[in-house]
DNA sequence: GCCAACGTTGGC
DNA sequence: GCCAACGTTGGC
């Protein structure tokens, strides 16, 4: 089992819409590092859903439903998407300010690599967030 | 609006 | 292959 974090601007695609649609293909990744991370996702892996720009907090958990395939929004063979399905909303969202203060979480790429929209995180980091959010998996 | 932290482009 | 200049994201 691997763990990841993806960012979305609520303006474009908020968690509430994701929950309503139940699942979505995660498109728009145009960065090699993020693309490579997408390609390493396996079915069943858990993915944290972060709201950037507005909200600035981790709001929910998604599950990888389908592994990577050609991005249907472009003919460019370099880019791909994965299917994510909404798994669980966090009982308490985890704000960036908390992440920055936390001994474990401050080392997530989220904090320093602002341009990265898809990133791997460790099991310890994932579990810490679940813990802090008082959510049951 | 500013700045940090990248990624990208292109000249050499 | 190096590096300067520029572009982008996103927090503040």
């Amino acid at each position: 089992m691997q763990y990841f974090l993806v960012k979305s601007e609520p303006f474009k695609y908020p968690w509430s819409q994701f929950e309503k649609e139940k699942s979505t293909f995660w498109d728009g990744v145009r960065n090699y590092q993020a693309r490579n991370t997408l390609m390493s996702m396996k079915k069943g892996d858990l993915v944290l859903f972060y709201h950037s720009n507005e909200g600035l907090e981790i709001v929910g958990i998604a599950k990888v439903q389908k592994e990577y395939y050609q991005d249907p929004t472009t003919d460019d063979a370099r880019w791909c998407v994965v299917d994510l399905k909404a798994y669980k909303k966090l009982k308490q969202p985890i704000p960036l300010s908390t992440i920055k203060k936390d001994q474990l979480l401050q080392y997530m790429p989220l904090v320093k690599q602002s341009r990265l929209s898809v990133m791997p995180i460790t099991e310890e980091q994932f579990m810490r967030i679940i813990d802090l959010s008082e959510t049951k998996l």
Side-chain angles (χ1 to χ4, degrees):
Chain A
M1 171 78 78
Q2 304 172 96
Y3 303 92
F4 301 93
L5 184 148
V6 296
K7 297 198 292 198
S8 179
E9 299 179 43
F11 172 69
K12 285 185 193 152
Y13 195 78
W15 170 264
S16 56
Q17 188 183 344
F18 183 39
E19 236 177 6
K20 210 175 294 170
E21 293 177 1
K22 303 243 183 347
S23 75
T24 188
F25 58 88
W26 203 258
D27 67 329
V29 173
R30 294 291 182 272
N31 166 290
Y32 286 110
Q33 206 183 333
R35 196 270 321 254
N36 292 343
T37 305
L38 266 191
M39 290 171 72
S40 73
M41 288 185 182
K42 300 290 177 208
K43 192 175 177 182
D45 285 347
L46 295 177
V47 183
L48 295 172
F49 192 109
Y50 174 79
H51 277 168
S52 64
N53 278 319
E54 297 167 50
L56 307 185
E57 55 190 12
I58 298 172
V59 288
I61 313 167
K63 210 173 221 182
V64 178
Q65 189 168 39
K66 189 176 174 193
E67 292 169 21
Y68 77 93
Y69 55 97
Q70 170 66 35
D71 186 336
T73 65
T74 175
D75 288 334
D76 194 329
R78 292 177 299 170
W79 309 116
C80 60
V81 299
V82 295
D83 284 356
L84 296 181
K85 75 170 179 223
Y87 176 55
K88 224 164 231 190
K89 187 177 179 176
L90 292 187
K91 221 166 147 192
Q92 298 288 335
I94 305 299
L96 184 63
S97 55
T98 301
I99 292 169
K100 285 187 165 175
K101 274 183 272 176
D102 188 88
Q103 204 53 40
L104 269 176
L105 302 180
Q106 62 175 309
Y107 297 110
M108 294 199 299
L110 175 71
V111 178
K112 289 219 163 175
Q113 280 180 250
S114 60
R115 299 199 52 199
L116 202 56
S117 59
V118 181
M119 65 195 76
I121 60 172
T122 67
E123 182 174 3
E124 287 77 14
Q125 289 164 342
F126 182 85
M127 291 309 170
R128 164 57 62 89
I129 287 160
I130 297 308
D131 237 30
L132 292 173
S133 69
E134 299 167 32
T135 306
K136 281 186 187 139
L137 279 182

